[in-house]
Amino acid sequence: MEQLALIVGLLFATVVAAGLGDRLRLPYPVLMLILSAALTFIPGFPDLQIAPELILPIFLPPLLFATAQKSSWAVFRIRWRTLLLMAVALVVVSTAVVAGAAWLLIPGIGIPAAIALGAMVAPPDPVAVESVSARVHMPRRLNTILQSEGLFNDAAAIVIFQAAAMATVSGSKIGPDVALKFVLGAAIAVVVGIAMGWITALMTRLIQSTVARSAVTLVVPFAAYILAEEVHASGVIAVVVTALELKRHARAEDAAERITRAAFWDVVELLATGLAFGLVGLAIKRVIDEEGTAVFAMAVPAVVVCVLVIVVRVLWLTMVAQMIKKRGTELSRVSFKDVIVLSWCGMRGLATLALALALPLTLDDGSDFPGRHEIIVIACAVLLATLVLPGLTLPWLMRVLKASDDPSVQRDAARILARRAQSAAKAALKNNELVKELPPEKVKLVRERMTRLYGELTDGSGAQATVANDGGKPDEAAARELRARSRELVVAVQTIALDAARQEIIEARNEPGTDPEAADHVLRQLDLRTMIMPE
C-alpha cells in the first residue's frame, strides 16, 4: 500500500508540476526530477524500486508512441539524412569518445565496459527534449531535427550497450557484427511495426465500442515493443513504425474518434512522463546512498564525461552543418546560434538511467563487473548535468540568442504553401474521372471541403466539424445516412485531391527560398485532413 500511495502521489505531483511549469515557463519533467529527488532526503520517505529490466518496457512504448503520432511517413521520407546523421552516427561517435575517456580515466574498466558506459550516455531522451522544446517557442526547423533524432537514437544505443555488456560478461571482444545486428534488428522491427499497425487497424474496424478502440491503442505499443524484443529486434523502432502505420491506416470516418483519442494520449503522455522522471529522481538518491563517499572520488571522470558529451554534440553539429550546407537538408540551414540551442537540448533521461541500472553485477567467472560503481555514478552525473541545467536555463538561452520562433513569419510562409496546396487539390478534382460518378450533392460536399482546405491548413478550422444536418434530421441520423451512400467513392475522390496537394508541398519544399518548417507543418496538417470526412 505504501508503494501504491507513492505512485499516486507522484502522479498528483505531475499535475502540479505541469501547472507550475506553465507559469514559470519551465519543463515539468525537470521539476518532477528535482521535486522527487528532494523528497527522498526526508527521513523515512518510502522508496519505490522497479526492476531495471522493466523500466524501458514500461515507459518507453507509450511515450515513444505518443511522440511518433505527431509525425508521419511523409515527413520521415524528407528527413532521412537528419535521421541517420543524428540518431545513428552521432550516437556512435559519442559512444566512442566517452568510451575512450572512460578507459583512460577509470582503472581496470576494460574496453567493452567503457563502450557500455558510452552507449548509456550517448542518446538524448526524446521525452525530455519534447517537453522542454515545446515550452520555449522552439523554431520548427530545430524542433523537427530534435524529433527526428529522438525517435530512433535509443535503438542504436541499446544495441551497442547490449553487445558491450555481453562482451564484458563473457570476456570476449566487440566485433563489426554489432553494425550487422543493428541493421538486421531494425529491419525486423520495421516488419513487426507494419504488421502490428495492420492488425490494429483491422481490430479497430471490427470493434464497435469507441472506448474499446481507444483502449487498443494503449495496449498496442507494449505489444509491439515486447514482440520485437522477443525476436531480438529493436522494440523502439517497432513502436515508432506501429504509430506511423496506424496513422497511415486511419479512416476518414474516424475523425471524431481521433480527436478524442488525441486528448486521451495527451493525458497518458503527461502522467507517464511525470511518473518516469519522478522515478529517476528517486533512483538518483538510491545510487548516492549505495555508493556513499565513493561518489566524491569519481567526480573528476564524471565531470570530464559530462563536458565531453556536450562538446562532441557541438562539434558534430557544427561539422555536419558545414559538410552538407549545399545539400538542402534541415541541418544545412542551421546557423551557429542554432547549433548552440540544439547542443543544449541534448538532454539525457530515461534510457540512460535504465541502462545504468541494468548493468550486470558479476561476470561469468563470478568476479565483479569492472568499474560498475563508477559507470553508474558517471551515468547519473551526465543525466543531471544534461537534463537539469539545460532544462532550467533553455528559456533564458533562447531569449539571449533571440532564437525563439517568430510565429508571424512562419504563419505567412504556411499561408502561401496552403494556398498552393488548395489550388493543387482543386485542379486534381477538376481533372478526375471519379468525380463524374458521384451524385451532385456529393460533388458539392467535396468541392466545399476543398474550398475550406486553405483555412484548415493554416489555422485548423473545420478539423472538428461534424456532419451537417440535412433536412432537419438529427446529426447522428444524417451521418449514418451519408455513410450509407457511396462513402467509399467520396473518400477516394477526397484522397486523390489531398494527395495532389501533398505532392505539391513536397515539390515546393525543395524549391529555393521555401521555408522547410512551414512545408513540414502543412504536410502534417494534410495528413490530419486525410483522416477527416468531408461535411
Side-chain angles (χ1 to χ4, degrees), residues 212-244:
R213 287 199 295 267
S214 295
V216 167
T217 64
L218 183 60
V219 176
V220 163
F222 296 99
Y225 187 93
I226 293 171
L227 178 59
E229 292 293 325
E230 285 296 316
V231 296
H232 305 291
S234 171
V236 172
I237 294 178
V239 172
V240 173
V241 172
T242 300
L244 297 176

PDB file of all heavy atoms in Angstrom, residues 212-244:
ATOM      1  N   ALA A 212     -13.374   0.862 -26.422  1.00  0.00           N
ATOM      2  CA  ALA A 212     -12.514  -0.296 -26.665  1.00  0.00           C
ATOM      3  C   ALA A 212     -11.478   0.012 -27.743  1.00  0.00           C
ATOM      4  O   ALA A 212     -10.325  -0.424 -27.647  1.00  0.00           O
ATOM      5  CB  ALA A 212     -13.365  -1.497 -27.077  1.00  0.00           C
ATOM      6  N   ARG A 213     -11.871   0.750 -28.772  1.00  0.00           N
ATOM      7  CA  ARG A 213     -10.913   1.094 -29.821  1.00  0.00           C
ATOM      8  C   ARG A 213      -9.801   1.988 -29.282  1.00  0.00           C
ATOM      9  O   ARG A 213      -8.640   1.846 -29.673  1.00  0.00           O
ATOM     10  CB  ARG A 213     -11.626   1.777 -30.989  1.00  0.00           C
ATOM     11  CG  ARG A 213     -12.469   0.827 -31.830  1.00  0.00           C
ATOM     12  CD  ARG A 213     -12.768   1.423 -33.197  1.00  0.00           C
ATOM     13  NE  ARG A 213     -13.595   2.615 -33.102  1.00  0.00           N
ATOM     14  CZ  ARG A 213     -14.914   2.619 -33.184  1.00  0.00           C
ATOM     15  NH1 ARG A 213     -15.562   1.473 -33.348  1.00  0.00           N
ATOM     16  NH2 ARG A 213     -15.596   3.738 -33.104  1.00  0.00           N
ATOM     17  N   SER A 214     -10.139   2.895 -28.405  1.00  0.00           N
ATOM     18  CA  SER A 214      -9.109   3.735 -27.793  1.00  0.00           C
ATOM     19  C   SER A 214      -8.208   2.905 -26.887  1.00  0.00           C
ATOM     20  O   SER A 214      -6.988   3.135 -26.812  1.00  0.00           O
ATOM     21  CB  SER A 214      -9.758   4.868 -26.985  1.00  0.00           C
ATOM     22  OG  SER A 214     -10.476   5.743 -27.823  1.00  0.00           O
ATOM     23  N   ALA A 215      -8.805   1.927 -26.193  1.00  0.00           N
ATOM     24  CA  ALA A 215      -8.021   1.059 -25.318  1.00  0.00           C
ATOM     25  C   ALA A 215      -7.018   0.235 -26.113  1.00  0.00           C
ATOM     26  O   ALA A 215      -5.909  -0.059 -25.637  1.00  0.00           O
ATOM     27  CB  ALA A 215      -8.950   0.143 -24.524  1.00  0.00           C
ATOM     28  N   VAL A 216      -7.382  -0.147 -27.329  1.00  0.00           N
ATOM     29  CA  VAL A 216      -6.471  -0.917 -28.185  1.00  0.00           C
ATOM     30  C   VAL A 216      -5.182  -0.144 -28.426  1.00  0.00           C
ATOM     31  O   VAL A 216      -4.079  -0.697 -28.382  1.00  0.00           O
ATOM     32  CB  VAL A 216      -7.153  -1.276 -29.522  1.00  0.00           C
ATOM     33  CG1 VAL A 216      -6.129  -1.792 -30.527  1.00  0.00           C
ATOM     34  CG2 VAL A 216      -8.234  -2.317 -29.300  1.00  0.00           C
ATOM     35  N   THR A 217      -5.309   1.149 -28.679  1.00  0.00           N
ATOM     36  CA  THR A 217      -4.120   1.955 -28.955  1.00  0.00           C
ATOM     37  C   THR A 217      -3.215   2.083 -27.727  1.00  0.00           C
ATOM     38  O   THR A 217      -2.028   2.391 -27.873  1.00  0.00           O
ATOM     39  CB  THR A 217      -4.505   3.364 -29.440  1.00  0.00           C
ATOM     40  OG1 THR A 217      -5.203   4.064 -28.394  1.00  0.00           O
ATOM     41  CG2 THR A 217      -5.391   3.293 -30.662  1.00  0.00           C
ATOM     42  N   LEU A 218      -3.763   1.863 -26.544  1.00  0.00           N
ATOM     43  CA  LEU A 218      -2.938   1.897 -25.334  1.00  0.00           C
ATOM     44  C   LEU A 218      -2.163   0.598 -25.169  1.00  0.00           C
ATOM     45  O   LEU A 218      -1.040   0.590 -24.662  1.00  0.00           O
ATOM     46  CB  LEU A 218      -3.816   2.149 -24.108  1.00  0.00           C
ATOM     47  CG  LEU A 218      -3.092   2.282 -22.766  1.00  0.00           C
ATOM     48  CD1 LEU A 218      -2.102   3.444 -22.799  1.00  0.00           C
ATOM     49  CD2 LEU A 218      -4.095   2.478 -21.637  1.00  0.00           C
ATOM     50  N   VAL A 219      -2.753  -0.512 -25.607  1.00  0.00           N
ATOM     51  CA  VAL A 219      -2.118  -1.818 -25.456  1.00  0.00           C
ATOM     52  C   VAL A 219      -1.094  -2.076 -26.561  1.00  0.00           C
ATOM     53  O   VAL A 219      -0.049  -2.695 -26.328  1.00  0.00           O
ATOM     54  CB  VAL A 219      -3.193  -2.929 -25.456  1.00  0.00           C
ATOM     55  CG1 VAL A 219      -2.547  -4.311 -25.389  1.00  0.00           C
ATOM     56  CG2 VAL A 219      -4.157  -2.739 -24.293  1.00  0.00           C
ATOM     57  N   VAL A 220      -1.387  -1.590 -27.760  1.00  0.00           N
ATOM     58  CA  VAL A 220      -0.568  -1.906 -28.933  1.00  0.00           C
ATOM     59  C   VAL A 220       0.907  -1.512 -28.781  1.00  0.00           C
ATOM     60  O   VAL A 220       1.787  -2.300 -29.165  1.00  0.00           O
ATOM     61  CB  VAL A 220      -1.180  -1.247 -30.193  1.00  0.00           C
ATOM     62  CG1 VAL A 220      -0.181  -1.197 -31.335  1.00  0.00           C
ATOM     63  CG2 VAL A 220      -2.403  -2.019 -30.631  1.00  0.00           C
ATOM     64  N   PRO A 221       1.262  -0.323 -28.262  1.00  0.00           N
ATOM     65  CA  PRO A 221       2.689   0.000 -28.128  1.00  0.00           C
ATOM     66  C   PRO A 221       3.459  -1.026 -27.306  1.00  0.00           C
ATOM     67  O   PRO A 221       4.580  -1.398 -27.673  1.00  0.00           O
ATOM     68  CB  PRO A 221       2.677   1.375 -27.450  1.00  0.00           C
ATOM     69  CG  PRO A 221       1.346   1.950 -27.763  1.00  0.00           C
ATOM     70  CD  PRO A 221       0.404   0.803 -27.830  1.00  0.00           C
ATOM     71  N   PHE A 222       2.863  -1.500 -26.207  1.00  0.00           N
ATOM     72  CA  PHE A 222       3.527  -2.508 -25.376  1.00  0.00           C
ATOM     73  C   PHE A 222       3.663  -3.822 -26.145  1.00  0.00           C
ATOM     74  O   PHE A 222       4.708  -4.485 -26.077  1.00  0.00           O
ATOM     75  CB  PHE A 222       2.737  -2.727 -24.088  1.00  0.00           C
ATOM     76  CG  PHE A 222       2.676  -1.524 -23.203  1.00  0.00           C
ATOM     77  CD1 PHE A 222       1.564  -0.703 -23.191  1.00  0.00           C
ATOM     78  CD2 PHE A 222       3.740  -1.199 -22.372  1.00  0.00           C
ATOM     79  CE1 PHE A 222       1.502   0.417 -22.376  1.00  0.00           C
ATOM     80  CE2 PHE A 222       3.693  -0.083 -21.545  1.00  0.00           C
ATOM     81  CZ  PHE A 222       2.580   0.725 -21.549  1.00  0.00           C
ATOM     82  N   ALA A 223       2.618  -4.199 -26.862  1.00  0.00           N
ATOM     83  CA  ALA A 223       2.662  -5.447 -27.624  1.00  0.00           C
ATOM     84  C   ALA A 223       3.740  -5.389 -28.696  1.00  0.00           C
ATOM     85  O   ALA A 223       4.498  -6.357 -28.898  1.00  0.00           O
ATOM     86  CB  ALA A 223       1.291  -5.723 -28.254  1.00  0.00           C
ATOM     87  N   ALA A 224       3.824  -4.258 -29.419  1.00  0.00           N
ATOM     88  CA  ALA A 224       4.834  -4.120 -30.469  1.00  0.00           C
ATOM     89  C   ALA A 224       6.245  -4.172 -29.887  1.00  0.00           C
ATOM     90  O   ALA A 224       7.144  -4.835 -30.439  1.00  0.00           O
ATOM     91  CB  ALA A 224       4.618  -2.810 -31.228  1.00  0.00           C
ATOM     92  N   TYR A 225       6.450  -3.490 -28.778  1.00  0.00           N
ATOM     93  CA  TYR A 225       7.769  -3.456 -28.136  1.00  0.00           C
ATOM     94  C   TYR A 225       8.192  -4.845 -27.678  1.00  0.00           C
ATOM     95  O   TYR A 225       9.307  -5.309 -27.964  1.00  0.00           O
ATOM     96  CB  TYR A 225       7.739  -2.496 -26.946  1.00  0.00           C
ATOM     97  CG  TYR A 225       9.085  -2.255 -26.308  1.00  0.00           C
ATOM     98  CD1 TYR A 225       9.876  -1.177 -26.696  1.00  0.00           C
ATOM     99  CD2 TYR A 225       9.582  -3.099 -25.315  1.00  0.00           C
ATOM    100  CE1 TYR A 225      11.114  -0.948 -26.115  1.00  0.00           C
ATOM    101  CE2 TYR A 225      10.823  -2.889 -24.736  1.00  0.00           C
ATOM    102  CZ  TYR A 225      11.587  -1.812 -25.137  1.00  0.00           C
ATOM    103  OH  TYR A 225      12.817  -1.605 -24.566  1.00  0.00           O
ATOM    104  N   ILE A 226       7.297  -5.537 -26.967  1.00  0.00           N
ATOM    105  CA  ILE A 226       7.637  -6.853 -26.415  1.00  0.00           C
ATOM    106  C   ILE A 226       7.856  -7.865 -27.537  1.00  0.00           C
ATOM    107  O   ILE A 226       8.801  -8.666 -27.495  1.00  0.00           O
ATOM    108  CB  ILE A 226       6.522  -7.327 -25.458  1.00  0.00           C
ATOM    109  CG1 ILE A 226       6.485  -6.406 -24.220  1.00  0.00           C
ATOM    110  CG2 ILE A 226       6.745  -8.767 -25.032  1.00  0.00           C
ATOM    111  CD1 ILE A 226       5.299  -6.658 -23.322  1.00  0.00           C
ATOM    112  N   LEU A 227       6.986  -7.846 -28.552  1.00  0.00           N
ATOM    113  CA  LEU A 227       7.132  -8.780 -29.661  1.00  0.00           C
ATOM    114  C   LEU A 227       8.466  -8.571 -30.379  1.00  0.00           C
ATOM    115  O   LEU A 227       9.174  -9.541 -30.703  1.00  0.00           O
ATOM    116  CB  LEU A 227       5.971  -8.601 -30.646  1.00  0.00           C
ATOM    117  CG  LEU A 227       6.000  -9.480 -31.907  1.00  0.00           C
ATOM    118  CD1 LEU A 227       6.006 -10.955 -31.524  1.00  0.00           C
ATOM    119  CD2 LEU A 227       4.805  -9.161 -32.804  1.00  0.00           C
ATOM    120  N   ALA A 228       8.829  -7.325 -30.633  1.00  0.00           N
ATOM    121  CA  ALA A 228      10.101  -7.045 -31.305  1.00  0.00           C
ATOM    122  C   ALA A 228      11.285  -7.512 -30.462  1.00  0.00           C
ATOM    123  O   ALA A 228      12.240  -8.108 -30.981  1.00  0.00           O
ATOM    124  CB  ALA A 228      10.213  -5.551 -31.610  1.00  0.00           C
ATOM    125  N   GLU A 229      11.245  -7.247 -29.162  1.00  0.00           N
ATOM    126  CA  GLU A 229      12.342  -7.662 -28.299  1.00  0.00           C
ATOM    127  C   GLU A 229      12.446  -9.188 -28.220  1.00  0.00           C
ATOM    128  O   GLU A 229      13.548  -9.741 -28.125  1.00  0.00           O
ATOM    129  CB  GLU A 229      12.142  -7.083 -26.890  1.00  0.00           C
ATOM    130  CG  GLU A 229      12.293  -5.567 -26.810  1.00  0.00           C
ATOM    131  CD  GLU A 229      13.713  -5.112 -27.072  1.00  0.00           C
ATOM    132  OE1 GLU A 229      14.659  -5.834 -26.685  1.00  0.00           O
ATOM    133  OE2 GLU A 229      13.888  -4.034 -27.681  1.00  0.00           O
ATOM    134  N   GLU A 230      11.309  -9.856 -28.274  1.00  0.00           N
ATOM    135  CA  GLU A 230      11.318 -11.325 -28.219  1.00  0.00           C
ATOM    136  C   GLU A 230      11.986 -11.939 -29.440  1.00  0.00           C
ATOM    137  O   GLU A 230      12.564 -13.034 -29.360  1.00  0.00           O
ATOM    138  CB  GLU A 230       9.887 -11.854 -28.083  1.00  0.00           C
ATOM    139  CG  GLU A 230       9.294 -11.690 -26.688  1.00  0.00           C
ATOM    140  CD  GLU A 230      10.044 -12.489 -25.639  1.00  0.00           C
ATOM    141  OE1 GLU A 230      10.373 -13.659 -25.913  1.00  0.00           O
ATOM    142  OE2 GLU A 230      10.320 -11.940 -24.559  1.00  0.00           O
ATOM    143  N   VAL A 231      11.888 -11.288 -30.585  1.00  0.00           N
ATOM    144  CA  VAL A 231      12.534 -11.810 -31.803  1.00  0.00           C
ATOM    145  C   VAL A 231      13.889 -11.140 -32.024  1.00  0.00           C
ATOM    146  O   VAL A 231      14.415 -11.153 -33.140  1.00  0.00           O
ATOM    147  CB  VAL A 231      11.620 -11.615 -33.036  1.00  0.00           C
ATOM    148  CG1 VAL A 231      10.350 -12.412 -32.881  1.00  0.00           C
ATOM    149  CG2 VAL A 231      11.300 -10.137 -33.270  1.00  0.00           C
ATOM    150  N   HIS A 232      14.426 -10.521 -30.953  1.00  0.00           N
ATOM    151  CA  HIS A 232      15.752  -9.899 -30.962  1.00  0.00           C
ATOM    152  C   HIS A 232      15.844  -8.751 -31.971  1.00  0.00           C
ATOM    153  O   HIS A 232      16.866  -8.560 -32.640  1.00  0.00           O
ATOM    154  CB  HIS A 232      16.828 -10.951 -31.260  1.00  0.00           C
ATOM    155  CG  HIS A 232      16.803 -12.118 -30.330  1.00  0.00           C
ATOM    156  ND1 HIS A 232      17.159 -12.019 -28.995  1.00  0.00           N
ATOM    157  CD2 HIS A 232      16.420 -13.413 -30.527  1.00  0.00           C
ATOM    158  CE1 HIS A 232      17.035 -13.190 -28.418  1.00  0.00           C
ATOM    159  NE2 HIS A 232      16.570 -14.060 -29.312  1.00  0.00           N
ATOM    160  N   ALA A 233      14.766  -8.002 -32.074  1.00  0.00           N
ATOM    161  CA  ALA A 233      14.740  -6.795 -32.898  1.00  0.00           C
ATOM    162  C   ALA A 233      14.649  -5.580 -31.987  1.00  0.00           C
ATOM    163  O   ALA A 233      14.634  -5.697 -30.762  1.00  0.00           O
ATOM    164  CB  ALA A 233      13.578  -6.840 -33.879  1.00  0.00           C
ATOM    165  N   SER A 234      14.571  -4.403 -32.577  1.00  0.00           N
ATOM    166  CA  SER A 234      14.502  -3.160 -31.803  1.00  0.00           C
ATOM    167  C   SER A 234      13.060  -2.828 -31.438  1.00  0.00           C
ATOM    168  O   SER A 234      12.240  -2.530 -32.316  1.00  0.00           O
ATOM    169  CB  SER A 234      15.111  -2.003 -32.607  1.00  0.00           C
ATOM    170  OG  SER A 234      14.863  -0.773 -31.966  1.00  0.00           O
ATOM    171  N   GLY A 235      12.745  -2.889 -30.145  1.00  0.00           N
ATOM    172  CA  GLY A 235      11.408  -2.526 -29.691  1.00  0.00           C
ATOM    173  C   GLY A 235      11.108  -1.059 -29.936  1.00  0.00           C
ATOM    174  O   GLY A 235       9.962  -0.692 -30.217  1.00  0.00           O
ATOM    175  N   VAL A 236      12.138  -0.209 -29.852  1.00  0.00           N
ATOM    176  CA  VAL A 236      11.957   1.227 -30.071  1.00  0.00           C
ATOM    177  C   VAL A 236      11.456   1.491 -31.500  1.00  0.00           C
ATOM    178  O   VAL A 236      10.466   2.201 -31.715  1.00  0.00           O
ATOM    179  CB  VAL A 236      13.284   1.978 -29.820  1.00  0.00           C
ATOM    180  CG1 VAL A 236      13.161   3.434 -30.240  1.00  0.00           C
ATOM    181  CG2 VAL A 236      13.669   1.879 -28.355  1.00  0.00           C
ATOM    182  N   ILE A 237      12.149   0.910 -32.473  1.00  0.00           N
ATOM    183  CA  ILE A 237      11.761   1.130 -33.870  1.00  0.00           C
ATOM    184  C   ILE A 237      10.398   0.524 -34.149  1.00  0.00           C
ATOM    185  O   ILE A 237       9.584   1.106 -34.883  1.00  0.00           O
ATOM    186  CB  ILE A 237      12.829   0.536 -34.810  1.00  0.00           C
ATOM    187  CG1 ILE A 237      14.137   1.314 -34.643  1.00  0.00           C
ATOM    188  CG2 ILE A 237      12.372   0.567 -36.259  1.00  0.00           C
ATOM    189  CD1 ILE A 237      15.284   0.780 -35.482  1.00  0.00           C
ATOM    190  N   ALA A 238      10.105  -0.631 -33.554  1.00  0.00           N
ATOM    191  CA  ALA A 238       8.806  -1.277 -33.779  1.00  0.00           C
ATOM    192  C   ALA A 238       7.657  -0.397 -33.300  1.00  0.00           C
ATOM    193  O   ALA A 238       6.623  -0.285 -33.967  1.00  0.00           O
ATOM    194  CB  ALA A 238       8.766  -2.627 -33.059  1.00  0.00           C
ATOM    195  N   VAL A 239       7.821   0.255 -32.160  1.00  0.00           N
ATOM    196  CA  VAL A 239       6.766   1.126 -31.615  1.00  0.00           C
ATOM    197  C   VAL A 239       6.562   2.340 -32.523  1.00  0.00           C
ATOM    198  O   VAL A 239       5.420   2.713 -32.833  1.00  0.00           O
ATOM    199  CB  VAL A 239       7.122   1.582 -30.184  1.00  0.00           C
ATOM    200  CG1 VAL A 239       6.141   2.645 -29.701  1.00  0.00           C
ATOM    201  CG2 VAL A 239       7.103   0.395 -29.234  1.00  0.00           C
ATOM    202  N   VAL A 240       7.654   2.956 -32.975  1.00  0.00           N
ATOM    203  CA  VAL A 240       7.547   4.133 -33.838  1.00  0.00           C
ATOM    204  C   VAL A 240       6.859   3.782 -35.148  1.00  0.00           C
ATOM    205  O   VAL A 240       5.958   4.498 -35.617  1.00  0.00           O
ATOM    206  CB  VAL A 240       8.941   4.740 -34.092  1.00  0.00           C
ATOM    207  CG1 VAL A 240       8.858   5.870 -35.119  1.00  0.00           C
ATOM    208  CG2 VAL A 240       9.541   5.258 -32.789  1.00  0.00           C
ATOM    209  N   VAL A 241       7.268   2.676 -35.762  1.00  0.00           N
ATOM    210  CA  VAL A 241       6.668   2.265 -37.032  1.00  0.00           C
ATOM    211  C   VAL A 241       5.193   1.925 -36.845  1.00  0.00           C
ATOM    212  O   VAL A 241       4.356   2.251 -37.701  1.00  0.00           O
ATOM    213  CB  VAL A 241       7.436   1.062 -37.622  1.00  0.00           C
ATOM    214  CG1 VAL A 241       6.715   0.498 -38.841  1.00  0.00           C
ATOM    215  CG2 VAL A 241       8.855   1.475 -38.006  1.00  0.00           C
ATOM    216  N   THR A 242       4.843   1.290 -35.727  1.00  0.00           N
ATOM    217  CA  THR A 242       3.436   0.983 -35.448  1.00  0.00           C
ATOM    218  C   THR A 242       2.597   2.256 -35.397  1.00  0.00           C
ATOM    219  O   THR A 242       1.508   2.321 -35.977  1.00  0.00           O
ATOM    220  CB  THR A 242       3.302   0.225 -34.115  1.00  0.00           C
ATOM    221  OG1 THR A 242       4.038  -0.999 -34.189  1.00  0.00           O
ATOM    222  CG2 THR A 242       1.850  -0.094 -33.816  1.00  0.00           C
ATOM    223  N   ALA A 243       3.108   3.278 -34.713  1.00  0.00           N
ATOM    224  CA  ALA A 243       2.371   4.544 -34.619  1.00  0.00           C
ATOM    225  C   ALA A 243       2.202   5.182 -35.994  1.00  0.00           C
ATOM    226  O   ALA A 243       1.116   5.679 -36.330  1.00  0.00           O
ATOM    227  CB  ALA A 243       3.107   5.500 -33.680  1.00  0.00           C
ATOM    228  N   LEU A 244       3.259   5.170 -36.808  1.00  0.00           N
ATOM    229  CA  LEU A 244       3.169   5.763 -38.139  1.00  0.00           C
ATOM    230  C   LEU A 244       2.215   4.975 -39.040  1.00  0.00           C
ATOM    231  O   LEU A 244       1.474   5.554 -39.841  1.00  0.00           O
ATOM    232  CB  LEU A 244       4.560   5.817 -38.777  1.00  0.00           C
ATOM    233  CG  LEU A 244       5.610   6.690 -38.060  1.00  0.00           C
ATOM    234  CD1 LEU A 244       6.961   6.571 -38.743  1.00  0.00           C
ATOM    235  CD2 LEU A 244       5.165   8.147 -38.019  1.00  0.00           C
TER     236      LEU A 244
END
